Amino acid sequence: MRVATVERNTKETQITGRVDLDGTGIAEVSTGIGDLYIDFHHTTEDTAYVVGEAVSRALGNRAGIARYGTAVIPMDETLTRVSLDASNRPYLIWKVVFTRPKLGEMDTELFKEWFQAFAQSAGVTLHVENLYGENNHHIVESCFKGLARALRQAVEIDARRSGAIPSTKGVLGGSLP
């Protein structure tokens, strides 16, 4: 079972997340902003850390996975490309520009923070590039949907790999043999 639950309790937030990599895709989400007296930053970042760490734990040693995933997501006038390598080498390339500083009450700069924290804790190299678009909501939504689609491809079990680590080195990232 490729399932993991992670809890993160800080002075600003209390977050629990559960990931089932072989689940049906149905999600239960209950969020709020835990540190409104400051801003949305801590809740945004800590949520990404929890989700990313749960993905990493559920992947274990990453044996047998496809490793790479890419999605190109159209959403009305917007087109976004997301590619990732579940290499256990965290890195983020973020080529997304917003035309407004806020989306509703949330600072648009926090979306990059979410993706950075996710890439770091999930151990993925993640490229997010909005190719074009005008509506900030569509841009953000296409980034998240692109991540979900690309991640699904990358973590799928490749029957041809027979449980092997998907690397010519026999290990991924900073793992020791």
Side-chain angles (χ1 to χ4, degrees):
M1 297 285 297
R2 300 186 313 152
V3 177
T5 300
V6 172
E7 289 186 31
R8 182 176 175 92
N9 295 307
T10 70
K11 291 180 180 178
E12 293 92 5
T13 63
Q14 296 175 342
I15 299 168
T16 301
R18 181 179 182 276
V19 170
D20 180 350
L21 296 178
D22 302 310
T24 62
I26 296 173
E28 285 185 40
V29 179
S30 176
T31 60
I33 302 302
D35 54 353
L36 278 178
Y37 62 94
I38 299 173
D39 60 18
F40 293 9
H41 184 94
H42 294 115
T43 301
T44 301
E45 188 175 55
D46 288 357
T47 299
Y49 281 135
V50 166
V51 174
E53 186 176 338
V55 167
S56 183
R57 286 185 188 182
L59 283 171
N61 68 0
R62 301 171 192 235
I65 64 169
R67 182 175 165 179
Y68 300 100
T70 297
V72 179
I73 303 296
M75 183 160 292
D76 295 342
E77 84 300 341
T78 298
L79 188 66
T80 299
R81 177 176 49 221
V82 178
S83 297
L84 70 83
D85 175 5
S87 61
N88 206 22
R89 289 190 307 269
Y91 201 85
L92 175 67
I93 297 294
W94 179 259
K95 293 187 176 186
V96 179
V97 176
F98 297 104
T99 59
R100 295 176 21 209
K102 288 192 177 282
L103 186 56
E105 296 291 319
M106 187 158 171
D107 297 326
T108 51
E109 70 183 9
L110 293 179
F111 294 109
K112 179 182 180 184
E113 296 299 321
W114 191 97
F115 281 84
Q116 178 65 51
F118 174 83
Q120 185 70 38
S121 61
V124 299
T125 297
L126 178 59
H127 294 252
V128 182
E129 182 179 15
N130 174 244
L131 302 173
Y132 50 83
E134 297 172 11
N135 182 301
N136 289 287
H137 176 89
H138 294 160
I139 293 169
V140 169
E141 192 171 348
S142 65
C143 292
F144 279 102
K145 287 183 177 183
L147 172 59
R149 293 287 179 147
L151 185 62
R152 180 179 179 180
Q153 284 179 15
V155 304
E156 283 182 342
I157 298 297
D158 183 345
R160 297 170 294 172
R161 302 282 312 150
S162 299
I165 302 292
S167 170
T168 56
K169 295 181 283 188
V171 296
L172 286 173
S175 304
L176 296 174

